[in-house]
Amino acid sequence: MKKFIAMLAMVLPMTAMAQEMKDTTVVLPAEEYAFIMAAQLAQYGYANNDALSLITAARMAKQNGFSAEAREKQEQASEATAAPTGQKRGQISLDPTKLLADARAMAAGNEVLGDLAQEVEQMGTRGATNGSIYHTDCVNAHATDIYTVTFTGGIPAIVTAVGDGDTDLDLYIYDQNGNLIAQDIDYTDRCICTWTPRWTGSFRIKIVNRGSVYNCYVLRTN
């Protein structure tokens, strides 16, 4: 009994130092849904050789001012990382120039799709806001990509990752004390974590690839 009480006394202070766990009351803004939809359209278009999906994704990227930025990451390998066994098929992009070029190649002279691609190409691009910035990267088979990001206390935080469709991705968020704050561990590569930090601090974002080939993804934080 005394040993149990001593262990409990050690655990309680650590719990008190944890940031806020996943906040299910956070409402995703419309821009977040647009990001997810555009990414999934791009994923679908590449997987199914569907030019219209790529054109639509390019239109949404322009309309919402999605802008790519580079982020530093740490890579954590596993024993299986160096020996992928699956076949690579998926792709993903939110770059309108690439999406439209690939759509034209898929359309193979289809005038209607060509005209649609040209119309989107000539559209003005909305200026990017902080919320419209995203990062594109690839996580190796059976490996983990790790990012460190600062979030502001009292303001709902959102982290979204959408992969290329080839493997299952899991998303984990840890605070600066190593406490697990939120996770999305279903069997897809579309991951969303939301929480409200109690104070401003650094958080570690971990993207884990459960599959046997690499997975390229788009990552967005608010």
Side-chain angles (χ1 to χ4, degrees):
M1 183 65 179
K2 288 182 179 180
K3 187 178 293 186
F4 171 77
I5 293 173
M7 292 176 62
L8 187 61
M10 293 176 63
V11 171
L12 286 176
M14 293 176 62
T15 303
M17 293 173 64
Q19 282 273 17
E20 193 70 40
M21 284 298 290
K22 184 172 181 179
D23 186 352
T24 57
T25 66
V26 174
V27 177
L28 295 181
E31 198 170 61
E32 199 71 36
Y33 284 110
F35 174 80
I36 295 168
M37 184 177 295
Q40 289 189 301
L41 280 167
Q43 180 194 92
Y44 179 87
Y46 283 117
N48 295 278
N49 204 44
D50 189 286
L52 182 57
S53 293
L54 299 189
I55 294 170
T56 306
R59 179 188 295 275
M60 295 184 71
K62 281 198 165 191
Q63 287 175 334
N64 289 276
F66 295 143
S67 178
E69 70 168 5
R71 286 183 181 265
E72 290 187 7
K73 74 173 184 180
Q74 296 175 274
E75 297 181 72
Q76 182 177 322
S78 71
E79 293 181 0
T81 298
T85 58
Q87 181 179 357
K88 185 66 188 169
R89 296 178 180 176
Q91 293 187 57
I92 195 165
S93 176
L94 286 178
D95 177 5
T97 300
K98 173 175 172 51
L99 289 167
L100 293 175
D102 291 341
R104 285 192 173 97
M106 290 178 186
N110 184 307
E111 291 186 8
V112 174
L113 292 176
D115 289 344
L116 286 175
Q118 184 174 1
E119 178 185 323
V120 174
E121 190 173 54
Q122 293 173 348
M123 285 176 55
T125 302
R126 173 189 163 193
T129 63
N130 288 337
S132 299
I133 295 172
Y134 69 94
H135 172 72
T136 300
D137 219 309
C138 300
V139 55
N140 288 325
H142 306 293
T144 302
D145 282 359
I146 304 172
Y147 300 88
T148 300
V149 179
T150 298
F151 290 94
T152 303
I155 298 178
I158 304 171
V159 177
T160 304
V162 180
D164 62 22
D166 274 349
T167 68
D168 172 27
L169 296 182
D170 289 338
L171 177 64
Y172 301 87
I173 311 296
Y174 294 86
D175 68 12
Q176 67 267 48
N177 297 316
N179 300 297
L180 178 62
I181 300 305
Q183 62 183 7
D184 188 331
I185 53 174
D186 61 16
Y187 295 100
T188 72
D189 62 352
R190 188 192 75 175
C191 306
I192 304 172
C193 284
T194 63
W195 76 101
T196 301
R198 292 179 179 173
W199 61 82
T200 299
S202 296
F203 290 80
R204 285 164 66 84
I205 298 169
K206 292 189 176 184
I207 299 174
V208 181
N209 184 356
R210 303 297 183 186
S212 58
V213 295
Y214 70 86
N215 191 315
C216 293
Y217 58 87
V218 287
L219 170 69
R220 169 180 157 107
T221 63
N222 70 333

